[in-house]
Amino acid sequence: MSVAMNPGTAKASGPVVINDFVVKFANVNGSGSASANGMFAKSILRCGVPVAARNIFPSNIQGLPTWFEVRITEAGHLGRRGGVDLMVAMNPQTWDKDVAEIEPGGFLFYDCTKPLPPSKFRDDITVLGVPLTAMCNERYQLPRERQLFKNIVYLGSLAALLGIDPKVIETILTEQFAGRQKLIDANFEALHMGVSYVHEHLSPIRLQVRKADKVGDRIYVEGNAAAALGAVYGGATVCAWYPITPSTSLAEAFTGYCEDLRTDPDGKARYAIVQAEDEIASIGIVVGAGWNGARAFTCTSGPGISLMTEFIGLSYFAEIPAVIFDVQRGGPSTGMPTRTQQADLIGSAYAGHGDTKHPMLLPADPGECFEFGALAFDLSDRLQTTIFVMLDLDIGMNEWLTKPFAWDDTRQLDRGKVMTHDELEAGADFGRYKDVDGDGIPYRTYPGVHPNKGAYFTRGTSRNPYARYSEEGAIYVDNMQRLLRKFETAKLLIPAPIRRDAKRKTTDGVIYFGSTTPSMLEALDHLEGQGRHLDALRVRGFPFCDEVYDFVAAHERVFVVEQNRDAQLRTLLVNEGEIDPGKLVPVLHYDGTPITARFIAREIGQILALGQTEAAE
């Protein structure tokens, strides 16, 4: 098969597939491909067809492999499916791996300027060659132009192959380069170079995009941006941070929103954003601002949490509000800084020295990033402690389709138990660490609330209910027990889990959280189609409420699906609920790529099938 000499002659087999396939781009980091690939995904959305896009990129600035996967899914699945139907292979370094990933009967699109031996191809796929480099070398003089416009040429080629109206992409280009007509015209030309080549030398393939009306009013947004906007609506006025992938864009988005929404008409800023010298300083600023009554946060990832633990412990013991957005990535140490994992659960839940426990919110998509981003500040004030919002790179740095954010304008900020000037003046008995109501939460005051009442010394050492230093064992134990009561109160405030019951009665269940959600829901549908039924529970926060433990108790076996090596959610369930570990079956995915529906269905399906075989024997 001399594919390189006669590209695109292989015939597609099988029925036409409309609005239900996966396209994966294999590029080199720094080649300018990210913009073109993003426009490809947005062009599908403009056709009214949902997409689930995942950017898998290296941690260097230039030179290493990068992939961008676009799932075209009229059914609206927002997780990764697994497998590739059309590979756009633009990186010779990863060629063999990329070609191997294509589904049988799928398609390979590549730059056929240089001949390749038949051994580089497969007999069960259709090869689509376009001489991208030759076309761009002939048209453009500057090396950078040749590289950048090559991306637009292949974008035009794909539009012609998949049946996408080029005018849709023209509209996106016009919006992206608004006011720069020469650049718009140049991109139009490159786009139509690709379109024309396909019309003259190739034919549309059996993977086709057809206009639909399945996107509706949903928005396409990154989780980091959503969380940052949630922080604004939640009343945050202070952000102290230190740059770290993949959380940096959260602070940058918060800056942009504050410039628009927290700036007076006269230009006076009603916010403070500090890029501190390190993570230790950033959390110190947040705790100091929280002590003063401001709503403050930092955003970081696993290595930053490690550095922040002493201040987090201070927040816990001195009972000072703080919010931390932890955008989780691959660890340990520097690990895989541009890959996704759910591997900071234990480190965040118990961060600090001695006996500490911290509430965590576990959003599943950008919509909940916005919702929980706002809620975290109410919880932090209410519970007078650090609240973790546990995103991950998949949610934080990828754009997801989600419902428009909703906000109740009548909603009031919950500042928790704050003793006022009038209450102090009336002779209220103020003990900073005194449990008045039996819920473990004491009253606090803001600095300067009264000229001679309500003041106390904030310390990280042991003290009595009136904040006076004490190392008496009984007093220390009483205080630590009160903190446990407060943690029990937190169970009533954390968002409740969401349950999905199987279509038939079953003794099997599954627990999952966060960005695993869309793939998990699709896998459940697939398993039910095979006659394998599971009740499902998505946990949305820690500490776990009684409903979580009741769910476990009601099933003989519960799968726990998560994206880390050590089954951290399962460990928390065992530790906090005193659950028999043998009852919880770990299903773990931690290679740094977002989990797929196929992986979940395969792993759980194999265990269920094994159980059926053993029962039959």
Side-chain angles (χ1 to χ4, degrees):
M1 180 176 74
S2 183
V3 178
M5 299 302 294
N6 190 17
T9 58
K11 301 299 182 182
S13 60
V16 174
V17 178
I18 299 173
N19 298 345
D20 185 19
F21 53 92
V22 175
V23 179
K24 189 169 184 178
F25 298 82
N27 299 100
V28 177
N29 200 35
S31 64
S33 59
S35 177
N37 298 343
M39 282 190 278
F40 175 80
K42 291 177 182 177
S43 71
I44 309 296
L45 288 172
R46 296 292 178 94
C47 294
V49 182
V51 299
R54 299 293 191 276
N55 190 14
I56 303 170
F57 58 99
S59 57
N60 77 331
I61 297 174
Q62 188 168 333
L64 288 182
T66 183
W67 293 270
F68 189 79
E69 185 177 290
V70 181
R71 183 178 185 184
I72 294 122
T73 167
E74 188 169 336
H77 299 300
L78 298 183
R80 292 181 69 218
R81 184 198 71 187
V84 177
D85 300 302
L86 169 59
M87 177 66 72
V88 181
M90 294 289 117
N91 188 354
Q93 293 179 341
T94 61
W95 176 275
D96 292 339
K97 177 181 177 182
D98 296 331
V99 172
E101 199 172 348
I102 303 170
E103 299 274 278
F107 299 82
L108 169 67
F109 178 98
Y110 83 112
D111 180 355
C112 66
T113 299
K114 293 183 178 181
L116 293 175
S119 60
K120 286 294 184 181
F121 301 94
R122 287 169 43 189
D123 293 333
D124 62 344
I125 61 175
T126 299
V127 179
L128 307 163
V130 176
L132 300 169
T133 298
M135 294 167 66
C136 291
N137 287 350
E138 181 179 344
R139 174 63 185 85
Y140 305 107
Q141 299 299 317
L142 298 177
R144 188 58 176 165
E145 281 186 335
R146 291 173 174 176
Q147 177 58 59
L148 292 177
F149 285 119
K150 182 165 70 172
N151 301 322
I152 304 301
V153 175
Y154 77 58
L155 187 58
S157 301
L158 292 173
L161 289 167
L162 299 174
I164 302 170
D165 187 347
K167 291 182 180 179
V168 175
I169 302 175
E170 288 178 357
T171 300
I172 297 172
L173 286 166
T174 301
E175 294 170 354
Q176 182 160 326
F177 300 113
R180 293 178 282 178
Q181 191 59 46
K182 288 185 178 180
L183 194 53
I184 292 172
D185 292 341
N187 276 276
F188 278 18
E189 180 187 22
L191 180 73
H192 285 280
M193 284 169 59
V195 172
S196 297
Y197 185 90
V198 170
H199 286 168
E200 294 171 10
H201 300 280
L202 301 172
S203 301
I205 61 177
R206 64 182 181 85
L207 307 178
Q208 289 290 294
V209 175
R210 300 279 173 81
K211 286 188 176 181
D213 188 17
K214 299 297 184 180
V215 175
D217 64 349
R218 285 182 289 178
I219 59 177
Y220 193 53
V221 63
E222 290 182 353
N224 280 353
L229 187 60
V232 173
Y233 274 77
T237 57
V238 177
C239 169
W241 64 292
Y242 184 77
I244 183 172
T245 303
S247 70
T248 295
S249 63
L250 199 159
E252 293 171 341
F254 182 75
T255 301
Y257 291 134
C258 284
E259 289 172 351
D260 292 338
L261 302 173
R262 292 212 186 286
T263 303
D264 289 345
D266 61 2
K268 185 176 181 180
R270 296 292 181 180
Y271 58 91
I273 299 174
V274 182
Q275 183 176 325
E277 62 266 34
D278 54 33
E279 287 89 349
I280 300 172
S282 65
I283 187 62
I285 293 169
V286 168
V287 171
W291 178 84
N292 274 283
R295 290 193 156 186
F297 75 91
T298 189
C299 50
T300 189
S301 192
I305 299 297
S306 300
L307 292 169
M308 294 178 183
T309 52
E310 186 169 2
F311 268 115
I312 295 170
L314 175 65
S315 166
Y316 175 80
F317 201 51
E319 298 178 71
I320 300 171
V323 171
I324 298 176
F325 291 95
D326 180 3
V327 190
Q328 300 168 89
R329 69 188 205 184
S333 186
T334 306
M336 296 191 293
T338 60
R339 298 291 193 263
T340 192
Q341 279 188 5
Q342 298 172 323
D344 292 349
L345 294 188
I346 292 177
S348 297
Y350 302 131
H353 304 87
D355 297 317
T356 55
K357 293 185 180 183
H358 310 291
M360 299 186 295
L361 302 178
L362 308 173
D365 54 40
E368 285 192 340
C369 288
F370 171 77
E371 178 188 345
F372 293 176
L375 175 63
F377 293 92
D378 277 352
L379 293 178
S380 181
D381 272 353
R382 186 73 193 172
L383 295 167
Q384 300 174 26
T385 195
T386 293
I387 303 293
F388 284 90
V389 185
M390 306 296 289
L391 292 78
D392 57 35
L393 185 146
D394 185 20
I395 295 178
M397 293 191 69
N398 285 317
E399 293 177 298
W400 290 42
L401 270 181
T402 189
K403 293 180 181 179
F405 303 149
W407 186 259
D408 182 359
D409 288 333
T410 65
R411 175 174 168 177
Q412 299 293 314
L413 302 183
D414 183 357
R415 300 311 300 256
K417 297 183 178 182
V418 180
M419 196 162 286
T420 65
H421 174 279
D422 291 343
E423 290 170 329
L424 292 167
E425 189 69 20
D429 179 23
F430 174 67
R432 174 62 185 95
Y433 300 108
K434 185 177 181 181
D435 187 0
V436 177
D437 304 313
D439 58 3
I441 305 174
Y443 281 83
R444 62 179 175 138
T445 59
Y446 295 141
V449 69
H450 193 282
N452 51 35
K453 296 181 180 180
Y456 61 94
F457 190 79
T458 303
R459 62 174 78 245
T461 50
S462 182
R463 69 278 158 154
N464 69 13
Y466 291 91
R468 299 187 184 98
Y469 178 77
S470 173
E471 291 189 9
E472 291 186 29
I475 291 176
Y476 170 81
V477 169
D478 183 68
N479 189 55
M480 293 296 286
Q481 288 299 118
R482 178 183 61 77
L483 290 170
L484 276 183
R485 290 197 299 275
K486 183 167 72 168
F487 200 68
E488 287 295 312
T489 299
K491 293 180 180 180
L492 307 175
L493 305 176
I494 293 293
I498 293 178
R499 178 165 175 160
R500 166 180 156 157
D501 286 333
K503 294 180 179 179
R504 297 181 183 176
K505 186 174 179 60
T506 178
T507 59
D508 290 315
V510 61
I511 291 177
Y512 60 99
F513 72 101
S515 64
T516 301
T517 299
S519 293
M520 184 73 246
L521 295 177
E522 184 179 356
L524 286 170
D525 289 339
H526 180 77
L527 289 166
E528 284 193 337
Q530 297 178 331
R532 295 167 176 166
H533 302 278
L534 297 96
D535 296 329
L537 191 75
R538 175 164 72 90
V539 295
R540 299 199 295 164
F542 174 81
F544 307 121
C545 64
D546 291 342
E547 186 177 346
V548 175
Y549 301 121
D550 292 343
F551 180 87
V552 175
H555 295 85
E556 294 180 5
R557 174 174 54 184
V558 177
F559 297 95
V560 184
V561 182
E562 48 189 314
Q563 299 181 63
N564 58 69
R565 184 195 69 179
D566 292 342
Q568 295 188 24
L569 178 64
R570 177 177 177 270
T571 298
L572 288 175
L573 289 166
V574 170
N575 287 352
E576 299 295 321
E578 299 182 353
I579 297 170
D580 176 8
K583 193 172 186 177
L584 302 178
V585 181
V587 177
L588 308 175
H589 180 277
Y590 53 92
D591 68 0
T593 62
I595 196 168
T596 68
R598 287 183 178 180
F599 172 85
I600 297 172
R602 182 180 70 248
E603 293 296 305
I604 293 179
Q606 288 176 348
I607 298 173
L608 292 175
L610 179 63
Q612 292 171 351
T613 301
E614 291 175 347
E617 293 175 350

